[in-house]
Amino acid sequence: MVSEHPPSVRDALRVDPDSSDLAAVDPTAFPVGPTSKSAARDDLTTTGVELDELQERLYAEGVAGGGSRRVLLVLQGMDTSGKGGTIRHVAGLVNPHGLRVHSFSRPTPEELRHDFLWRVRREVPPPGFIGIFDRSHYEDVLVARVDSLVPEDVWRERYALINAFEAELAEEGTTVVKCLLHISPDAQRKRLLARLDDPHKHWKYDPADLDARGKWSRYQEAYADVLRECSSPAAPWYAVPSDRKWYRNWAVGRILLETLRELDPRYPSVSFDPIAEKGRLLHADPLG
């Protein structure tokens, strides 16, 4: 007998912190869901319809109803893993009026004068919104570690600070969804070559990307530690196979959809009688 409900994408891709071996995650696989680009495209369209409605309800609940709930989608991954592409395809499914997107790059001098979470706290979405981080506070235990920007005791202490921060967000009504866009070195090589072959994509290429590529194994170790040290029921990690862009977009879209379904936001009640207001509108003299 075929189940009426498709398998949970969150259950299939959620990281087990006790066995966070990235080498065991196949970046070319599709462990759940569609197995073709066309099927994923069609399903993502259907996902978008429901996602748009749920986002409107979340926005109404938070902005008009005084609710505190909001969603924060964190996207991390190696260069060319598709953080920007995911935002374009998934965020494009919802009303931008209830969306906040922020990209974290190298800290500014002002940001460096504060603790590493200072700039992140400033970008947490307000109630009713979906926020998306292109990179995040995890840069401070990834790049900072691999490039030895701070001593080891400093970046190791940050795991506990990050966990406390995300627990604080959950207490305040923020549902944190963290997706690692996992790609292979071969996929990255092809994408970097594609940028160099296309003059219109030269602006996306940074020679420093090759420096980071040369530290691939060190980054994989750093990511594995992040998955092990900073996964919790309130802020789980999902490892999304991302060599296939269409699967990556579909999977993140479904993870977001399942999250909003579980939240089940509701339109706020109103203090007026809609029937009475309709009568007033129909019989009102527009000229006073």
Side-chain angles (χ1 to χ4, degrees):
M1 181 176 179
V2 178
S3 172
E4 294 181 2
H5 301 286
S8 167
V9 180
R10 292 188 301 172
D11 287 347
L13 301 183
R14 184 180 288 112
V15 170
D16 179 357
D18 295 327
S19 58
S20 55
D21 181 11
L22 270 181
V25 179
D26 183 356
T28 69
F30 21 79
V32 62
T35 58
S36 71
K37 184 175 182 178
S38 59
R41 182 183 61 245
D42 293 344
D43 194 77
L44 193 59
T45 299
T46 303
T47 292
V49 174
E50 186 177 358
L51 197 57
D52 184 61
E53 179 188 347
L54 287 167
Q55 186 228 15
E56 181 180 346
R57 283 158 48 182
L58 179 69
Y59 183 80
E61 178 186 279
V63 175
S68 62
R69 299 193 296 178
R70 74 292 298 266
V71 174
L72 174 59
L73 174 62
V74 174
L75 300 177
Q76 285 285 159
M78 296 291 288
D79 296 320
T80 78
S81 60
K83 296 176 289 294
T86 301
I87 291 172
R88 183 168 64 252
H89 286 89
V90 175
L93 299 173
V94 299
N95 188 336
H97 196 59
L99 189 68
R100 294 282 178 88
V101 179
H102 187 79
S103 178
F104 288 94
S105 55
R106 183 175 299 176
T108 66
E110 179 187 13
E111 290 169 344
L112 289 172
R113 287 195 292 269
H114 299 269
D115 72 276
F116 77 102
L117 289 172
W118 179 80
R119 65 174 184 162
V120 180
R121 292 181 185 277
R122 291 159 54 93
E123 302 301 334
V124 172
F129 279 71
I130 294 175
I132 303 180
F133 283 176
D134 177 349
R135 302 187 187 272
S136 67
H137 41 295
Y138 284 98
E139 293 295 288
D140 292 283
V141 288
L142 292 167
V143 176
R145 168 182 173 170
V146 173
D147 288 347
S148 302
L149 301 181
V150 296
E152 180 174 346
D153 62 323
V154 173
W155 60 255
R156 284 199 180 278
E157 182 184 18
R158 288 174 176 174
Y159 293 138
L161 295 174
I162 287 172
N163 288 335
F165 170 59
E166 292 177 350
E168 177 188 324
L169 290 180
E171 285 287 329
E172 294 173 350
T174 305
T175 298
V176 182
V177 182
K178 301 179 298 191
C179 292
L180 170 59
L181 307 183
H182 185 47
I183 62 169
S184 66
D186 186 55
Q188 187 192 62
R189 177 176 177 274
K190 291 177 181 177
R191 292 175 189 180
L192 289 174
L193 286 173
R195 290 179 180 181
L196 291 171
D197 287 339
D198 184 350
H200 297 294
K201 293 186 178 181
H202 285 174
W203 67 273
K204 297 178 69 174
Y205 182 84
D206 184 344
D209 292 345
L210 287 185
D211 296 332
R213 179 175 168 81
K215 304 168 186 174
W216 189 276
S217 61
R218 293 169 60 187
Y219 268 107
Q220 296 309 293
E221 291 174 2
Y223 273 111
D225 281 351
V226 160
L227 300 181
R228 180 171 54 254
E229 299 290 342
C230 297
S231 291
S232 69
W237 273 103
Y238 301 96
V240 180
S242 299
D243 274 16
R244 293 181 171 89
K245 297 178 183 180
W246 56 264
Y247 186 81
R248 175 201 69 205
N249 298 335
W250 173 86
V252 175
R254 292 293 297 191
I255 288 170
L256 187 58
L257 176 61
E258 289 179 10
T259 299
L260 283 168
R261 279 177 176 170
E262 185 174 80
L263 286 176
D264 191 23
R266 302 299 179 93
Y267 289 115
S269 58
V270 295
S271 59
F272 56 85
D273 181 349
I275 296 177
E277 290 302 304
K278 183 177 179 180
R280 290 181 60 209
L281 178 62
L282 291 173
H283 297 93
D285 183 352
L287 300 180

